[in-house]
Amino acid sequence: MFTGIVTDMGELVKVETKGEVKTLTIATAFEAAGIEIGASIAHAGVCLTVTGVVAGGPRGTLYTVDAAPETLAVTTVGTWAEGARINLERSLKMGDELGGHMVSGHVDCTARVVLREDLGSTTRFVFEVPEHLARFVAAKGSVALDGTSLTVNTVAGNTFSCLLIPHTLAVTTWGGVAAGDTVNFEADLMARYAARLAEFPRA
């Protein structure tokens, strides 16, 4: 599990295709000694398993993860090229501060950025998601977009908006996101379960 609080911007330094699987090598400032083989790390909101780790590289540590066909089909991972910057978050530990919301790292789909509006103190983004997932998005609720926990400000049909502060733009990849881009979308777990329960009649 994750919280949607990005703790590093990694760099994709190598992409290898092995049949239907892509192996990604990521450079990060996370300490190599603190990353175990089999550990889960969220990459722009996508939970991937560490398959190898060494000290070194341009940012202090290099590690590898494998992306399977389902991940490549549903998320933006399949479009990543060497040099791409990626929002990273280590998995939640018992006792950690829950600064965002509960995020599973299981991306539902990609959302399209309809609009970016720089307003001075904040930046407003408008996103579009498939209609069958829009029912999980509510004003003042939470969504995970590219691994970042964001609060929904407005909802209209299958579009919704979020406001980002300058700090978020500076410490994540959001500073470079523009209209027309796609980002990884994960619906709030609580909204998903509430919608599922509502489908069943009361006894």
Side-chain angles (χ1 to χ4, degrees):
M1 297 297 294
F2 306 93
T3 68
I5 303 299
V6 173
T7 51
D8 187 32
M9 273 196 291
E11 180 184 352
L12 179 58
V13 297
K14 188 176 182 180
V15 180
E16 298 176 275
T17 301
K18 303 174 181 178
E20 295 183 321
V21 174
K22 283 191 176 182
T23 297
L24 312 177
T25 301
I26 312 293
T28 180
F30 296 149
E31 291 187 8
I35 303 175
E36 296 185 4
I37 304 300
S40 295
I41 298 177
H43 301 73
V46 183
C47 179
L48 297 173
T49 301
V50 174
T51 57
V53 58
V54 295
R59 306 197 65 236
T61 298
L62 292 171
Y63 69 88
T64 55
V65 293
D66 289 336
E70 174 69 9
T71 298
L72 299 174
V74 175
T75 73
T76 62
V77 174
T79 67
W80 295 350
E82 293 178 7
R85 302 303 297 272
I86 304 167
N87 293 329
L88 301 178
E89 181 188 355
R90 300 290 305 276
S91 58
L92 185 65
K93 299 181 179 66
M94 293 298 293
D96 284 353
E97 180 179 351
L98 184 59
H101 71 284
M102 297 303 293
V103 177
S104 70
H106 301 156
V107 169
D108 291 293
C109 69
T110 57
R112 185 172 69 90
V113 181
V114 177
L115 173 72
R116 172 176 174 155
E117 187 177 13
D118 295 307
L119 304 173
S121 59
T122 60
T123 297
R124 178 174 176 263
F125 288 91
V126 178
F127 306 94
E128 181 182 60
V129 293
E131 290 187 6
H132 72 282
L133 292 170
R135 65 193 183 115
F136 300 129
V137 181
K140 308 305 179 183
S142 297
V143 291
L145 294 166
D146 265 5
T148 312
S149 175
L150 298 177
T151 300
V152 177
N153 293 104
T154 62
V155 179
N158 65 329
T159 66
F160 64 94
S161 69
C162 299
L163 292 176
L164 276 69
I165 61 174
H167 174 77
T168 302
L169 298 176
V171 301
T172 70
T173 58
W174 282 100
V177 174
D181 290 345
T182 55
V183 295
N184 293 318
F185 168 86
E186 181 187 329
D188 179 50
L189 289 171
M190 296 298 291
R192 189 192 308 277
Y193 283 117
R196 181 61 174 163
L197 288 171
E199 294 176 0
F200 293 90
R202 294 182 181 180

